[in-house]
Amino acid sequence: MKLSETTSAEGMADRGRPGRSDRVAYGVSAALATVAALVSVTSFFFWSVFNREVPMKIGNIRGTALAMLLIAVPLLIGSMLLSSRGSLRARFVWLGSLAYITYTAVMFCFALQFNSFFLLFVALLAVSFWALVTLLSHFDFAAVMAGGAGVPVRAVAVYMLACAVIFSLPWLRDIIPATMSNVFPSSFEGTGITQNPIYVLDFAFTFPLLVLGAAWLWRRRAWGYVIAGMTVVMLTIETAGIAIDQAFGHLHDPAASLGGVPIMVAFTLAGLVFLALFLRGWAPKRG
């Protein structure tokens, strides 16, 4: 029986174990879990390596490392295990976890001054990127199309578009005046950075993916489901991680504001709601 012939998402996904080609995705992601855990532990506990960074940024790094260790890595491992048992829903969580770790790896590589962990950070970026590529290359789009009928596509699509707008507006308020005056954005003050890789990633990848994924999801296209699952998981982990890294930024520099923490907690809770709506759409139908 082919996946496309199954009408229930979980019944469809429960058809069997991963094939031989699928083992590549599992192998690379398993390697990533090890590398990510190592990077997280070393960055959190041996933070004296970052002594050229300002105190707030050191706290941000430690908070991000802790979020990756306590949230992203367990989600990655757990979703891989459930996916190996045939869960299609777990596969979306797996994909979103990989996207978050890749995003974070870019931060470690490009937002920090050169330090003794440079090669570890490069390894994290390399393995996470290829883990993402291999999983996407083995995604069963026939299974996605057969099992996504229960997903509330319009609600999730509106949420994705709202995230693109809400997160882009503060960046643009910072970027546009600096662009017009050919000066550093005001957010750069006191950080020691000369470029913000978050701006690059979000405007080049995250925001376009949210908009395009929302449009495709609205039309119930296979790529829309895949992008939606990936980005909603990634954003939910990311907002939780921002809340943690801002708390640690304040711990290292009491002058750093905690105002963003409750906002990010609220976004995390909203993300969990829409993630639950998305994943429940793949549950077996009754009757």
Side-chain angles (χ1 to χ4, degrees), residues 3 10 25 34-35 44 50 52 67 84 120-121 124 133 137 151 155-156 185 201 203-205 267:
L3 290 177
E10 288 300 311
T34 302
V35 174
F44 184 79
F50 309 120
R52 287 188 291 275
S84 70
L120 271 178
F121 295 157
L124 181 69
V133 169
S137 69
V151 176
V156 177
L201 278 176
F203 282 103
F205 299 102
F267 273 116

Side-chain angles (χ1 to χ4, degrees), residues 49-83:
V49 164
F50 309 120
N51 58 4
R52 287 188 291 275
E53 310 292 346
V54 298
M56 180 185 71
K57 196 168 185 181
I58 294 174
N60 294 154
I61 298 164
R62 296 187 71 210
T64 299
L66 188 64
M68 186 161 64
L69 181 64
L70 298 184
I71 302 175
V73 172
L75 277 177
L76 172 60
I77 296 171
S79 59
M80 287 171 60
L81 290 174
L82 291 174
S83 180

Side-chain angles (χ1 to χ4, degrees), residues 9-239:
E10 288 300 311
M12 163 197 59
D14 287 338
R15 60 182 288 275
R17 302 295 179 182
R20 180 174 299 177
S21 61
D22 214 24
R23 293 173 191 165
V24 176
Y26 283 93
V28 180
S29 290
L32 173 62
T34 302
V35 174
L38 178 61
V39 169
S40 299
V41 169
T42 53
S43 298
F44 184 79
F45 289 104
F46 302 101
W47 49 271
S48 60
V49 164
F50 309 120
N51 58 4
R52 287 188 291 275
E53 310 292 346
V54 298
M56 180 185 71
K57 196 168 185 181
I58 294 174
N60 294 154
I61 298 164
R62 296 187 71 210
T64 299
L66 188 64
M68 186 161 64
L69 181 64
L70 298 184
I71 302 175
V73 172
L75 277 177
L76 172 60
I77 296 171
S79 59
M80 287 171 60
L81 290 174
L82 291 174
S83 180
S84 70
R85 298 174 184 173
S87 172
L88 182 60
R89 287 176 290 181
R91 196 143 237 205
F92 290 109
V93 178
W94 179 5
L95 186 63
S97 301
L98 293 180
Y100 169 78
I101 296 174
T102 305
Y103 187 98
T104 303
V106 173
M107 299 299 102
F108 280 125
C109 286
F110 295 103
L112 303 175
Q113 299 186 51
F114 186 89
N115 57 69
S116 297
F117 295 158
F118 172 73
L119 292 179
L120 271 178
F121 295 157
V122 172
L124 181 69
L125 179 57
V127 182
S128 61
F129 173 78
W130 290 112
L132 192 59
V133 169
T134 55
L135 181 57
L136 280 172
S137 69
H138 293 102
F139 229 91
D140 192 331
F141 289 94
V144 170
M145 290 304 297
V151 176
V153 293
R154 294 190 174 183
V156 177
V158 169
Y159 170 72
M160 293 167 67
L161 290 173
C163 285
V165 172
I166 292 170
F167 286 109
S168 65
L169 287 178
W171 291 174
L172 290 172
R173 282 200 296 266
D174 193 38
I175 293 169
I176 291 176
T179 301
M180 299 299 292
S181 303
N182 195 30
V183 297
F184 283 143
S186 59
S187 64
F188 287 21
E189 295 177 9
T191 63
I193 64 174
T194 58
Q195 184 56 274
N196 190 341
I198 295 175
Y199 290 170
V200 178
L201 278 176
D202 284 350
F203 282 103
F205 299 102
T206 309
F207 298 151
L209 275 175
L210 284 169
V211 173
L212 186 60
W216 282 345
L217 181 65
W218 191 281
R219 299 176 184 178
R220 293 190 177 274
R221 294 186 179 179
W223 270 108
Y225 289 110
V226 173
I227 294 173
M230 178 182 70
T231 54
V232 173
V233 171
M234 184 191 77
L235 283 175
T236 304
I237 303 173
E238 175 64 16
T239 52

